[in-house]
């Protein structure tokens, strides 16, 4: 009887330690979710970094690494889906959103015809004004300024880490 009581006490102590360390609130997504769009072939960005094109399968914790918030780990960030000639789809995501597949129907201009030498989606401003990396007035530096301001806002709001901020900023400026 004394051995059983000691075993139960050890089990209770282990459970208490786990809950105090924050492990009890650990959220992990081991499953893969799919991200799809109509039309397909749209670029998918997680916190400003391109992760692929639709249709795409991701493991949420790898694309949106969980961060310690309060007493638990939570995944959150910004998901953007872009396709030339279509309005950009942007959504704040969290554990709940990342627990199921994401299907997006993009609003596209039926009269849009891509230019012969279309720029990379990384260089597009994402503001819907133009699909060629400019802000609509033909100046590429305006889209860079827009992207830098948007990046700064994400960093200021705590949606991206210092390391992500510096890596993305460097990539934007290398395109000048």
């Amino acid at each position: 009887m004394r051995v059983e009581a000691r075993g139960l006490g050890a089990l209770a102590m282990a459970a208490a330690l786990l809950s105090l360390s924050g492990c009890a609130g650990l959220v992990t997504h081991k499953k893969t979710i799919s991200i799809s769009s109509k039309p397909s072939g749209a670029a998918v960005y997680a916190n400003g970094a391109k992760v692929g094109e639709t249709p795409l399968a991701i493991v949420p914790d790898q694309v949106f690494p969980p961060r310690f918030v309060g007493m638990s780990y939570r995944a959150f960030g910004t998901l953007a889906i872009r396709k030339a000639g279509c309005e950009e789809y942007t959504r704040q995501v969290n554990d709940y959103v990342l627990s199921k597949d994401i299907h997006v129907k993009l609003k596209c201009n039926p009269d849009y015809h891509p230019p012969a030498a279309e720029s990379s989606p990384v260089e597009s401003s994402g503001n819907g004004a133009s699909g060629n990396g400019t802000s609509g007035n033909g100046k590429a530096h305006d889209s860079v300024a827009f992207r830098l301001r948007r990046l700064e806002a994400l960093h200021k709001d705590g949606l991206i880490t210092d390391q992500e901020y510096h890596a993305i900023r460097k990539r934007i400026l290398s395109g000048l």
Side-chain angles (χ1 to χ4, degrees), residues 155 160-168:
H155 185 249
I160 59 174
T161 65
D162 290 340
Q163 183 181 7
E164 291 167 329
Y165 169 79
H166 292 294
I168 296 167

Side-chain angles (χ1 to χ4, degrees), residues 113-127:
H113 300 289
E118 188 173 325
S119 67
S120 159
V122 172
E123 290 307 309
S124 83
S125 66
N127 63 6

Side-chain angles (χ1 to χ4, degrees), residues 92-146:
Q92 297 299 312
V93 295
N94 56 28
D95 292 324
Y96 176 73
V97 174
L98 297 170
S99 69
K100 53 192 170 206
D101 293 340
I102 298 170
H103 306 288
V104 175
K105 183 173 182 180
L106 298 172
K107 295 177 185 174
C108 300
N109 179 353
D111 298 326
Y112 174 79
H113 300 289
E118 188 173 325
S119 67
S120 159
V122 172
E123 290 307 309
S124 83
S125 66
N127 63 6
S130 173
N132 64 2
T134 68
S135 63
N137 63 5
K139 295 180 182 177
H141 69 274
D142 286 343
S143 80
V144 170
F146 173 81

